[in-house]
Amino acid sequence: MTTPENPSPVSTGERIEDVDVAAEMQGSFLEYAYSVIYSRALPDARDGLKPVQRRILYQMTEMGLRPDRGHVKSARVTGEVMGKLHPHSDTAIYDAMVRLTQDFVMRVPLVDGHGNFGSLDDGPAAPRYTEVRLDAAALAMTESLDEDVVEFVPNYDNQLMQPSVLPSAFPNLLVNGASGIAVGMATNMAPHNLIEVVGAARHLLDNPDATLEDLMAYVPGPDLPTGGTILGLSGIRDAYATGRGAFRTRAKVSIESLTARKTGLVVTELPFLVGPERVVEKIKEGVTSKKISGISDVTDLTDRKNGLRLVIGIKTGFSPDAVLEQLYRLTPLEDGFSINNVALVDGKPQTLGLKELLRVYLEHRLEVVTRRSRYRLARRNERLHLVEGLLVAILDIDEVIQVIRTSDDGEQARTRLMDVFDLSQVQAEYILELRLRRLTRFSRIELETERDQLREEIAELEAILADPARLRGLVSDELEAVADRFGTPRRTLLTEAAPSIASSSRKAAPVLEIQDVPCRVLLSTTGRAVRVDLPPEGTAALAVPRRRSKHDAIRSRVDTTSRSELGAVTNRGRLLRFTPVDLPAVPPSSVQLGAGARIAEYLSLPDKKERILGLVSLSSDAPIALGTAQGVVKRVTPGGYPNRPEFELIALKPGDEVVGVHQGADDEELVFVTTDAQLLHFSAGAVRPQGVAASGVAGINLSPKARVLFFGGVVSAADAVVATISTASAAIPGTDFGRAKVSTFAEFPAKGRATGGVRCHAFLKGEDALAVAWVGSAPPHAVGTDGAVRALPETLSKRDASGTTLDGVVGSIGGPV
């Protein structure tokens, strides 16, 4: 008899085991952490993708969603990825796909989206409303997948195969960055410029022992999709060295006249991942709590056509500069970004610096190209084997047909073909399957042509596999091709300006922290500007010898202070006011203009055809002299400049433009050089200063079809030289290197204003014009169209000599630092 106290001994089929809760929790947590780290949150250092992103791109490739085909519903792609490769939430898959489409997050988007894919302030529409297809850059990530370039692994149910990593024709991890939170670790990587990253990768490929400084010459800092300005480069260098660092970004803000009596701040670029609604909300909170003063209104004029435009009105009586500095401190107009370069290397999470990231990618790319070359070599050898057998059959086709006709079956026919014609089994099978239409004379010619081409390709592939240098060269060339195709100019400006310090201060006009110190502003002939802070005792530190590098030909220089107002004069005759306080600063002992800011981007010139010709000081008593292409000269009365951010210095005639600017005293010489090799110089005192509205006076008489090529000034005729380069006007640009000549300026006699001048270069047969001319203090520095230094003749020539042939195309000539 059984009772509750004495249950039946009969088994019920249940199995109960006692498990230690601590051990079970530890094991389960480790499995969860492993899954998050390796299968979800961290990107692979080789292709820069998380598993879900890689599966999305691969599945879209399998679906044939190429850029030249139509979009399909995002819900369809999400379902395909979830059902075949990624057994997780459809929301997680769609969110990952949305990120791949967003050009404000990705520097090079990989998915082309059609519809509402959200903004920095709003989320995307549901997947049933949006459509997607692969972007052109995604094809570079997945190309050659069918050529055994990477390992394939089973999917979650072992029914399908998927790539463990994509071939990745460009360093996606550095270009597009990454972010993710795993268990016990996280990654946060900033996007970079594709052209710069490829340049660094190619340099490391050619120079495996390259230092971090060498690589940073190509990659000076992140290039954020939303633009903005990065303040300070020390944190970036720390990140490139150790994998961890931080930097601050500022919005791009200009002070504009909103109406005749109202000034405002116009925001056209925001820090990375900061939306306009967030900025507006913080400004309103600050005004309401009285932490921010001087703001009259905020208007968000952002739209799809014109992009970001946030207008902040300034109350009358408040300094726009002080209000802006206040906004930088108290709102997201200035924001921080922490770099934590954590990625998977050989399946293990590692923190990587710039050199390590590039090295891991290059090792992957070298392996991809090696495997691809081996695959192609095997396929071409197989095809060559068949083609050679087919040629044997065509040469003696009658006997082949006789052998086949007299055979009892296919097996006997194959065996007899192998014995009679010394063919392999594969060749004999291929001949048996041959169609009669291939037996024409034309087919034989095609086969012989194909055989010769296959042999050439096989030789090339064998040479690549046998020579590591050729393999690296091929990888380098492919990287360059990708950069040429998908690369875009830098969007983010890099400066050494100190960031604002967040504070709860209620002051309406905080004092700017950067001191007003003596400095020299240099502008290169390639359009880069830097600020050189001078020591109190003078400028002697600038005389320290240095190695010449790119961008070291000087177009203009101004001695001033860091907070003084300067003017940039353009070829349209306009003057743009600015202060050099935010220009990149370089030490006096090592002036490198390659680290400078592009002056056109720094001053936000709206028209790409408008160029900055020179810099002038607005506090100087010396007049500003301008020379135009039609031979007009004008000196502007000092001190009488309009109180506007920009204004015209000269009234130009239709079709005319300014070619040069010089600010100097009456005893200095003004110089014109024309395209037909005429040089004229006369005393600056011969030109009476005029107001900004005047159109100037005749400077030089021009012959028909000639125009002014150079205009400038000479402070000291004793050490000045004249450099000229002749060319043929009918030659294709970049093909005629030209002939260069350097002469002493003292050899050229002075003439009166409005005369024709004297010849400064003798043309040889086929030459009919000057391509480049420059007059200034020796020695002259020449820069090629690619930014590299070019050598000019060291021996001085007579003023009417013909010069010597150059070894490369010269784009511009300037003075020394």
Side-chain angles (χ1 to χ4, degrees):
M1 181 178 181
T2 62
T3 63
E5 292 80 8
N6 298 289
S8 171
V10 179
S11 173
T12 61
E14 296 182 354
R15 180 184 177 187
I16 301 175
E17 295 183 3
D18 292 332
V19 177
D20 182 71
V21 175
E24 179 65 23
M25 289 292 293
Q26 183 179 12
S28 299
F29 185 78
L30 286 175
E31 290 183 8
Y32 167 74
Y34 182 89
S35 174
V36 172
I37 291 173
Y38 297 100
S39 302
R40 297 190 188 183
L42 298 184
D44 193 297
R46 295 171 292 178
D47 62 4
L49 297 174
K50 301 176 185 178
V52 63
Q53 296 170 331
R54 186 179 303 113
R55 291 163 182 168
I56 289 171
L57 296 181
Y58 175 66
Q59 188 59 44
M60 291 180 71
T61 303
E62 290 293 290
M63 295 171 66
L65 302 181
R66 299 173 57 85
D68 55 352
R69 299 181 182 178
H71 296 77
V72 301
K73 287 292 185 181
S74 300
R76 177 183 169 191
V77 177
T78 301
E80 289 283 325
V81 174
M82 181 172 60
K84 294 182 177 181
L85 302 177
H86 197 71
H88 298 285
S89 163
D90 58 338
T91 302
I93 298 172
Y94 183 57
D95 289 346
M97 186 165 61
V98 166
R99 185 185 187 277
L100 295 176
T101 69
Q102 294 175 332
D103 57 2
F104 52 84
V105 176
M106 304 281 287
R107 190 61 179 82
V108 179
L110 301 177
V111 175
D112 177 18
H114 180 68
N116 178 17
F117 281 89
S119 66
L120 288 167
D121 296 309
D122 299 311
R128 61 182 179 274
Y129 298 121
T130 61
E131 299 176 340
V132 292
R133 66 183 177 188
L134 289 174
D135 205 299
L139 298 183
M141 294 289 294
T142 60
E143 66 178 355
S144 304
L145 269 177
D146 58 345
E147 295 184 295
D148 191 32
V149 293
V150 295
E151 295 295 332
F152 275 69
V153 295
N155 70 334
Y156 64 92
D157 60 0
N158 294 320
Q159 299 295 316
L160 301 170
M161 300 296 288
Q162 60 181 338
S164 60
V165 65
L166 294 186
S168 186
F170 63 90
N172 177 63
L173 186 57
L174 274 168
V175 172
N176 282 320
S179 63
I181 300 175
V183 177
M185 61 185 66
T187 185
N188 199 36
M189 303 179 66
H192 291 77
N193 186 274
L194 174 60
I195 298 175
E196 296 175 353
V197 171
V198 166
R202 297 181 67 203
H203 181 76
L204 185 60
L205 200 59
D206 295 335
N207 305 276
D209 297 328
T211 64
L212 180 60
E213 286 70 21
D214 296 334
L215 298 179
M216 287 189 67
Y218 294 90
V219 186
D223 186 22
L224 308 176
T226 52
T229 302
I230 292 180
L231 310 177
L233 304 180
S234 59
I236 294 174
R237 194 191 185 287
D238 292 340
Y240 287 167
T242 65
R244 297 179 184 272
F247 62 88
R248 296 192 68 81
T249 57
R250 269 187 181 178
K252 184 178 180 180
V253 185
S254 60
I255 301 174
E256 299 183 9
S257 297
L258 304 181
T259 64
R261 301 182 63 181
K262 186 176 182 180
T263 302
L265 305 174
V266 179
V267 183
T268 54
E269 294 177 5
L270 286 174
F272 188 43
L273 302 180
V274 173
E277 290 186 9
R278 178 182 165 194
V279 175
V280 172
E281 181 182 357
K282 286 293 183 180
I283 292 176
K284 290 181 177 179
E285 289 179 0
V287 172
T288 302
S289 62
K290 298 184 179 180
K291 293 181 179 179
I292 298 177
S293 303
I295 304 294
S296 62
D297 57 81
V298 182
T299 307
D300 187 2
L301 302 178
T302 303
D303 57 34
R304 293 183 181 272
K305 180 179 180 180
N306 300 311
L308 176 69
R309 185 173 177 84
L310 194 63
V311 180
I312 304 171
I314 305 298
K315 290 182 179 179
T316 303
F318 283 83
S319 167
D321 290 317
V323 173
L324 178 58
E325 184 67 19
Q326 186 179 216
L327 292 175
Y328 281 145
R329 293 188 301 110
L330 302 176
T331 70
L333 287 181
E334 182 179 311
D335 199 20
F337 188 94
S338 297
I339 299 176
N340 190 22
N341 296 336
V342 178
L344 297 177
V345 180
D346 296 329
K348 299 178 182 179
Q350 294 185 19
T351 303
L352 307 170
L354 175 63
K355 186 173 181 179
E356 290 74 22
L357 285 168
L358 290 172
R359 178 177 288 121
V360 170
Y361 169 77
L362 290 175
E363 290 174 353
H364 168 62
R365 194 60 192 167
L366 287 169
E367 181 182 0
V368 165
V369 175
T370 300
R371 293 181 59 157
R372 185 188 67 193
S373 300
R374 289 173 180 166
Y375 178 89
R376 292 178 178 178
L377 178 61
R379 300 292 82 77
R380 280 154 180 76
N381 277 323
E382 292 174 0
R383 178 59 185 170
L384 178 62
H385 186 61
L386 295 177
V387 170
E388 289 175 340
L390 201 54
L391 282 171
V392 170
I394 290 178
L395 289 174
D396 202 355
I397 189 61
D398 294 334
E399 186 175 353
V400 169
I401 294 175
Q402 181 66 26
V403 169
I404 296 174
R405 290 184 62 183
T406 57
S407 299
D408 295 334
D409 52 29
E411 179 69 25
Q412 185 182 18
R414 184 181 65 245
T415 303
R416 293 181 63 192
L417 285 174
M418 293 170 59
D419 294 338
V420 173
F421 298 100
D422 194 22
L423 300 175
S424 68
Q425 181 176 347
V426 175
Q427 289 173 323
E429 288 284 359
Y430 190 68
I431 292 172
L432 288 173
E433 297 175 1
L434 181 68
R435 293 185 178 184
L436 293 178
R437 71 176 61 180
R438 296 294 305 274
L439 303 181
T440 63
R441 181 174 60 86
F442 186 70
S443 295
R444 175 184 171 184
I445 296 175
E446 288 181 341
L447 289 172
E448 289 176 344
T449 302
E450 183 181 1
R451 177 196 61 192
D452 295 340
Q453 183 178 355
L454 285 170
R455 287 175 176 174
E456 291 178 1
E457 293 175 356
I458 289 172
E460 177 66 19
L461 290 169
E462 289 176 342
I464 291 173
L465 291 172
D467 187 357
R470 293 193 65 172
L471 178 65
R472 291 195 300 270
L474 178 59
V475 172
S476 180
D477 293 341
E478 291 181 354
L479 283 171
E480 183 182 21
V482 171
D484 291 340
R485 183 179 179 189
F486 302 113
T488 56
R490 166 171 281 275
R491 299 175 186 173
T492 302
L493 182 67
L494 304 175
T495 72
E496 288 286 1
S500 300
I501 301 176
S503 170
S504 60
S505 173
R506 296 173 181 260
K507 294 186 294 182
V511 178
L512 299 178
E513 298 179 1
I514 302 176
Q515 297 181 352
D516 192 16
V517 297
C519 69
R520 173 172 293 177
V521 180
L522 301 175
L523 175 65
S524 74
T525 58
T526 51
R528 291 183 178 268
V530 296
R531 188 184 80 245
V532 184
D533 293 334
L534 304 179
E537 62 270 13
T539 62
L542 289 178
V544 175
R546 66 180 186 89
R547 183 182 64 182
R548 291 180 64 187
S549 64
K550 293 185 177 182
H551 311 292
D552 65 349
I554 304 301
R555 179 188 298 276
S556 182
R557 74 187 69 222
V558 178
D559 288 337
T560 179
T561 62
S562 58
R563 302 204 64 82
S564 294
E565 197 169 43
L566 300 181
V569 181
T570 75
N571 61 319
R572 301 285 175 80
R574 296 196 307 147
L575 184 144
L576 286 70
R577 295 175 181 266
F578 74 99
T579 57
V581 65
D582 284 334
L583 281 176
V586 296
S589 59
S590 180
V591 180
Q592 295 287 345
L593 280 113
R598 295 188 182 276
I599 192 66
E601 297 176 3
Y602 184 80
L603 298 176
S604 302
L605 290 182
D607 188 351
K608 293 183 178 180
K609 294 183 180 180
E610 189 171 16
R611 309 182 309 277
I612 301 297
L613 299 179
L615 307 178
V616 296
S617 172
L618 298 183
S619 58
S620 173
D621 295 332
I624 301 172
L626 306 174
T628 76
Q630 295 180 3
V632 174
V633 64
K634 177 185 178 181
R635 298 182 79 205
V636 183
T637 305
Y641 310 119
N643 189 22
R644 297 196 300 269
E646 57 186 59
F647 54 88
E648 293 185 354
L649 280 175
I650 183 173
L652 292 172
K653 296 179 181 179
D656 200 7
E657 67 173 354
V658 177
V659 296
V661 58
H662 174 73
Q663 187 174 28
D666 291 348
D667 58 351
E668 298 180 8
E669 292 287 304
L670 299 181
V671 187
F672 282 96
V673 181
T674 67
T675 54
D676 60 346
Q678 293 296 117
L679 183 148
L680 172 67
H681 70 91
F682 50 84
S683 174
V687 182
R688 181 177 59 84
Q690 299 174 306
V692 294
S695 58
V697 297
I700 183 173
N701 288 338
L702 297 175
S703 60
K705 297 184 180 181
R707 61 185 294 273
V708 175
L709 184 63
F710 170 85
F711 173 80
V714 173
V715 178
S716 174
D719 61 350
V721 294
V722 178
T724 52
I725 299 177
S726 60
T727 186
S729 58
I732 299 175
T735 60
D736 182 16
F737 295 167
R739 300 177 64 86
K741 178 182 72 69
V742 179
S743 304
T744 304
F745 179 74
E747 289 194 12
F748 297 85
K751 300 288 185 178
R753 181 181 63 82
T755 60
V758 297
R759 178 167 295 278
C760 61
H761 197 117
F763 294 141
L764 297 182
K765 184 178 180 180
E767 299 177 339
D768 58 357
L770 291 182
V772 183
W774 176 83
V775 181
S777 298
H781 287 183
V783 177
T785 53
D786 58 353
V789 174
R790 294 282 187 265
L792 291 175
E794 297 182 359
T795 305
L796 296 177
S797 304
K798 296 181 179 180
R799 64 181 177 89
D800 59 348
S802 58
T804 58
T805 303
L806 290 168
D807 59 356
V809 178
V810 171
S812 59
I813 302 176
V817 173

